[in-house]
Amino acid sequence: MSGTGVRPYREITFDADGDVLGPYGPLADRDVTDLVVFAHGWNNSPGTARRLYASFFAPFPKLVAQTPQARLGYAGVVWPSMRFSDEPIPDVEPPAAGAQPSGPGLDGPTRAVLADLFPGHRETVERLARLLDEQPESRAAFAEFGRLARQLAAVPPGGLEAGFAEDLPHDEQSPPAVLYEDTLTLCRRLAVALDAESGSLYGALPFGGGLRSAWWGAKELLRQTTYYAMKRRAGTVGELGLGPLLGRLARTAPRLRVHLVGHSQGARLVAFALRGLPEGAENVKSVTLLQGVLSHYAFACGLPHAPHSAGVLAALQERVDGPVVACYSRHDSALGVFYPLASALAGDSASAAGGDRRWWAMGHDGIHAVAGTARLTLEEALRDGLPDSGCVSVDAAQVVRRGGPPAGAHSDICHEELARVVLTAGRVGR
């Protein structure tokens, strides 16, 4: 597959149920010793994903040139996910000139992608877009907007995704506010957070005594309900698609060492692949989660606020013959600000400002409530190395720092330092 600049490179495309689309052939040449498998987060096309992979993989050949005993192969996972057009990826898709919005509306490309990702909801998407354009000062209009937005997050009937969603415990242990909160209340809360994050980039948002300013928050509500659906889909593709595929790879290429890397929702995807990894498969040698859209308690066997409840991935780091590394950054507004506001329990006033640790994301402050988890700065990780097993949290704010609202530095991941983290976690060449 051309377009990434690294060889050998393979691409694996999954549908929403985790089924592989089309032939993909062997995932690595016979002389490959280590296979780096990268899953993108929110993207709106395979082309965008491929450009991300090209940028992230670019430093790897130089970094492994001095270790002739290791030969890397590369694989990119492509799955149906969503990225709003106002979330540029630094070094991959910078913002176009004049791209900052003059209002909370949806542009044409975003409407088209929403309609494609949620078949049968084209009229719903068009009505949501009209409401954002018109911004009626009516509580009934906000109620309608919330009802329509949540239709996009509903589990589609039939298919593996529906059964997966029914069996899957909610990793934050409660119904999320984004699905159950009063629409106007949540829109106002999200608008205030957006105003605080945007500074002078959008200019002063038109806050006042009326309802019009809350429509800025309505777009964030749509974004968060869409991402909630993508969270479920990422888990489905990881557990029902990538995990079993890695199990088959363990049988056909037992000496191949696999290193999983995921960004954003893709971090969720590769982490959930551990749930679908068959018993006895020992080929996953490291997992690196970049700005992961998971609860920071996901790997915990007991939650601080609910000791008898476990995270959705409790103890699954034990299925990795190496470390599970979570890279996080305080500059990630998508996870530090909006994720907790949308994930909190509906009606929980104590969480209104996003400061309740129950709802924090792994990409905001790393892995928590797992005994023995190492906490390192990026400098320490690269200078001293990483543990050979268990959970590790690496503060990557030193390099993951660029990006404007609403996502902040969420997608600022294409750095040589993070490539070195992946290779260090995988003990490549050792």
Side-chain angles (χ1 to χ4, degrees), residues 171-172 227-235 265 268 293 339:
D171 66 347
E172 284 85 16
Y227 293 165
Y228 183 83
M230 293 302 103
K231 283 174 64 176
R232 183 183 64 241
R233 184 173 295 177
Q265 307 275 15
R268 188 179 188 89
V293 182
Y339 180 97

Side-chain angles (χ1 to χ4, degrees), residues 323-327 366-367 372-376 381 386-394:
V324 172
V325 181
C327 293
I367 297 171
T373 296
R375 299 191 67 84
L376 305 170
L386 296 165
D388 287 342
S389 63
C391 291
V392 186
S393 296
V394 174

Side-chain angles (χ1 to χ4, degrees), residues 299-310:
F299 289 100
C301 292
L303 307 182
H305 54 282
H308 298 295
S309 297

